Amino acid sequence: MREVVANEPAILLTGYVNEATKLDLYLNALALLSPSLVEGFGIPVLDAACLGMPALASSCDAHREIHDLFDFSDYVLPISILETRDWAVAMQATACLHNHLVDEPEEERMRRLRRYLRMSTQIESRFEDQIANLMLS
């Protein structure tokens, strides 16, 4: 993989990412690409959806489940990993639709943070309700 992207300055292979760097990447990225063959929970895609950041994700079960939560279908686009043309078209469309964010990066970062706080509260509340219902059953 390193050889394939060696001459692509716009592609960053990060390896392990600490929490501070992860936050910086999420707040400044145009979109998240997650072409996983297999995914356990899909946490990066969930984080992107909570932030209101476009996420192009493989159509594995975890990503489809996230897509179906709250308003996440507005942010998560499941794509078959077998359809490379669909990935290329989706990346180009996402870049075109969201290129205006470059003009107001600080406003976009604040919007993402506010949305993340709101969504994490909703998710936590839903989880607590489900646990309470299980305990009362």
Side-chain angles (χ1 to χ4, degrees):
M1 181 59 74
R2 290 185 198 284
E3 290 177 20
V4 171
V5 301
N7 295 319
E8 296 292 338
I11 298 176
L12 174 65
L13 298 177
T14 62
Y16 174 78
V17 175
N18 64 38
E19 289 299 313
T21 302
K22 181 176 81 168
L23 177 61
D24 190 48
L25 290 169
Y26 274 114
L27 292 179
N28 292 292
L30 182 65
L32 174 82
L33 304 180
S34 184
S36 302
L37 292 171
V38 177
E39 190 66 53
F41 296 108
I43 299 299
V45 172
L46 178 62
D47 283 341
C50 286
L51 285 161
M53 179 173 69
L56 309 180
S58 60
S59 56
C60 67
D61 290 343
H63 292 158
R64 286 194 312 255
E65 184 177 346
I66 292 166
H67 172 272
D68 295 339
L69 294 171
F70 303 102
D71 66 345
F72 293 170
S73 63
D74 293 342
Y75 303 100
V76 178
L77 178 61
I79 307 169
S80 169
I81 57 169
L82 302 175
E83 301 298 331
T84 55
R85 184 175 303 251
D86 291 350
W87 281 87
V89 168
M91 286 187 281
Q92 184 175 28
T94 299
C96 289
L97 284 171
H98 300 282
N99 67 357
H100 67 280
L101 299 178
V102 174
D103 299 331
E104 300 175 340
E106 187 60 33
E107 289 84 356
E108 178 62 12
R109 286 190 287 271
M110 291 306 297
R111 184 195 68 77
R112 287 181 182 184
L113 286 170
R114 283 191 298 272
R115 177 178 162 85
Y116 190 88
L117 293 172
R118 189 174 67 252
M119 293 309 304
S120 64
T121 300
Q122 285 183 19
I123 290 169
E124 186 175 317
S125 177
R126 180 185 276 188
F127 180 71
E128 288 173 356
D129 290 346
Q130 290 173 339
I131 294 293
N133 288 335
L134 283 172
M135 293 176 70
L136 295 173
S137 298

